[in-house]
Amino acid sequence: MIVKKMSKIFTLILFLNFFLIANANSNSHSFELWLKNFKKQAMESGISEKVVNDVMNDARFLPKVIEYDRFQPEFYEDTFTYVKKRTSRKKVREGIKLYKKEKKIIDQVENYFKVEKEILLALMGIETNFGKYLGKMDIISSLATLSYDKRRSEFFTKELLILLNLVDKKIIQKDILYGSWAGAFGNFQFMPRTIRNYAIDYNGNEIIELKKTEDSFASAANYLKKIGWKKNQPCFLKIRLNDNIPTKYLNSSARNIKNKKRVKFFQKYIYNFEKLKIEKNFNVAIIIPDKDIIPGSNNNSPAYMIFENYEKILNWNRSLRFALAVCKLKNDFKNEI
Ligand SMILES: [Ca+2]
């Protein structure tokens, strides 16, 4: 079964490579046409001609970006593997090391924004392994490629326009725009829209430096605060479900968390509920993240009770397992810092 699935994936990759090579020539021609139209659109939206030309003249079509977009390995990992890979002991040790080095500024940010240092460290650890994997892609070309590509053109065109606007206003410097293949930037992997809405110049030197501790931690804290993260509130709890739980109470998609109820409502569906020691008035939902990802998985396991803070991490990145990994790492730090 696994061999069969792997060979299918392999065939898909082969096909994709062939498709990409076959399309490379026609792409470069129509990409130039797209670029011309995009520059016009950017100027019409009010961005100065100089910045549009400065920034966009080096934009290239990057076939690798399309390849990454179509085949993202993490979509195929089960929850256990996904979380374990991203929350290793090594990662906890590295986070503590960073905290000790930058204690003064991180404590200051925690107190000012009322957002725990542990959740900030966890997000940075998951996003970039504490600044070690910031990405080396030319973000302008990544965003241009994804804007030109049909799949999510509208979304990425808006992101690219926002980024040009930030450069035009001298909030972000063009020369440092290297990051992930999907256009995310800095220690916490902010997309342009997130930079515009939540990033701040914390040290007051008039530019936002998201690859540096001061501005990046303050911006991440500001973001969490603004979307409603609540300090010292729980994020998730691993549970064992009884077989009698109706499937309508089980969420497997991060898009829309449904059927939120008080903890006490779910009591009868949870094995050994008394041992959980949880306040019964919290508003919670139940998730089973493997269901839509792993064919033939046991529908009721693994299962988690999720709280309001968990949903804030979904705002940050709409993936059930991403939010679990972040909150698990946060708890690991909590026990050790
Ligand atoms: Ca700054």
Side-chain angles (χ1 to χ4, degrees):
M1 185 72 182
I2 290 172
V3 173
K4 207 171 168 189
K5 196 180 164 206
M6 287 308 288
S7 92
K8 260 189 186 166
I9 293 172
F10 188 63
T11 314
L12 182 72
I13 296 170
L14 273 183
F15 173 74
L16 200 60
N17 275 335
F18 175 76
F19 176 80
L20 288 169
I21 293 163
N23 278 278
N25 285 339
S26 68
N27 271 337
S28 67
H29 177 70
S30 46
F31 180 75
E32 289 307 317
L33 187 66
W34 171 86
L35 189 57
K36 204 176 138 200
N37 288 329
F38 174 80
K39 282 160 87 171
K40 195 164 155 258
Q41 185 187 353
M43 283 182 248
E44 279 167 8
S45 81
I47 300 160
S48 72
E49 188 177 345
K50 184 176 181 305
V51 164
V52 171
N53 285 324
D54 268 4
V55 178
M56 295 311 297
N57 277 356
D58 296 331
R60 289 174 302 127
F61 177 77
L62 302 174
K64 263 269 179 261
V65 169
I66 303 296
E67 210 175 305
Y68 290 139
D69 183 59
R70 301 294 193 270
F71 186 75
Q72 300 175 36
E74 69 249 41
F75 289 169
Y76 303 93
E77 286 170 350
D78 63 70
T79 300
F80 180 79
T81 312
Y82 181 99
V83 173
K84 191 166 180 255
K85 267 192 190 174
R86 287 160 181 80
T87 62
S88 64
R89 286 298 311 157
K90 189 165 174 269
K91 196 164 261 186
V92 175
R93 279 198 300 273
E94 279 174 22
I96 293 172
K97 209 168 113 192
L98 173 77
Y99 172 61
K100 283 184 176 158
K101 189 169 156 250
E102 305 283 359
K103 188 174 184 315
K104 198 177 156 205
I105 180 72
I106 295 175
D107 284 351
Q108 204 183 88
V109 166
E110 175 179 45
N111 293 331
Y112 184 80
F113 292 96
K114 313 254 179 308
V115 170
E116 299 98 314
K117 55 184 168 294
E118 288 85 358
I119 188 68
L120 298 172
L121 285 166
L123 280 162
M124 187 181 177
I126 302 284
E127 290 285 13
T128 62
N129 202 10
F130 309 104
K132 283 190 195 69
Y133 301 117
L134 294 171
K136 293 191 173 88
M137 283 274 186
D138 155 20
I139 287 182
I140 300 294
S141 292
S142 292
L143 290 172
T145 301
L146 292 163
S147 304
Y148 161 75
D149 182 46
K150 298 272 182 293
R151 198 169 84 86
R152 288 188 289 168
S153 176
E154 200 183 329
F155 172 81
F156 285 105
T157 303
K158 276 187 192 151
E159 292 289 329
L160 188 52
L161 285 170
I162 291 169
L163 191 58
L164 286 180
N165 210 290
L166 291 168
V167 175
D168 198 25
K169 287 183 178 153
K170 298 191 170 54
I171 293 170
I172 290 286
Q173 291 169 312
K174 171 210 159 206
D175 300 339
I176 57 163
L177 288 176
Y178 290 88
S180 85
W181 64 266
F185 176 75
N187 287 336
F188 290 84
Q189 295 288 280
F190 279 18
M191 289 298 285
R193 190 182 310 252
T194 314
I195 299 177
R196 183 193 63 191
N197 294 346
Y198 304 108
I200 50 176
D201 166 31
Y202 189 64
N203 60 3
N205 66 349
E206 294 187 355
I207 47 165
I208 296 176
E209 301 142 300
L210 294 177
K211 290 181 180 174
K212 297 202 172 152
T213 310
E214 288 177 315
D215 285 359
S216 70
F217 268 79
S219 295
N222 183 48
Y223 182 9
L224 283 178
K225 180 89 189 157
K226 290 253 166 76
I227 60 177
W229 174 268
K230 294 207 177 72
K231 198 178 177 188
N232 298 328
Q233 295 290 310
C235 189
F236 78 87
L237 196 62
K238 192 162 194 285
I239 52 172
R240 244 178 88 185
L241 293 171
N242 292 328
D243 289 337
N244 63 350
I245 186 163
T247 50
K248 67 176 175 180
Y249 297 127
L250 303 175
N251 289 280
S252 55
S253 161
R255 299 242 158 257
N256 181 16
I257 300 292
K258 288 180 286 198
N259 278 302
K260 278 182 247 178
K261 310 269 180 205
R262 302 253 177 217
V263 170
K264 58 188 168 199
F265 172 87
F266 289 116
Q267 186 169 350
K268 56 185 174 293
Y269 301 124
I270 295 169
Y271 180 77
N272 266 348
F273 178 83
E274 311 70 41
K275 289 191 178 162
L276 293 179
K277 294 194 183 93
I278 180 102
E279 197 195 304
K280 291 185 179 180
N281 282 323
F282 276 126
N283 230 359
V284 297
I286 310 285
I287 60 163
I288 45 164
D290 272 1
K291 184 174 174 281
D292 291 350
I293 291 160
I294 310 302
S297 70
N298 175 356
N299 275 354
N300 286 1
S301 173
Y304 306 84
M305 180 181 279
I306 56 164
F307 301 81
E308 263 181 59
N309 271 349
Y310 178 93
E311 288 194 70
K312 305 307 169 194
I313 305 299
L314 288 185
N315 285 6
W316 182 293
N317 182 352
R318 210 151 278 286
S319 151
L320 292 178
R321 291 166 310 149
F322 173 88
L324 284 174
V326 168
C327 289
K328 158 80 165 55
L329 194 54
K330 171 191 170 281
N331 292 343
D332 292 347
F333 285 134
K334 190 86 197 157
N335 297 327
E336 300 198 30
I337 287 179

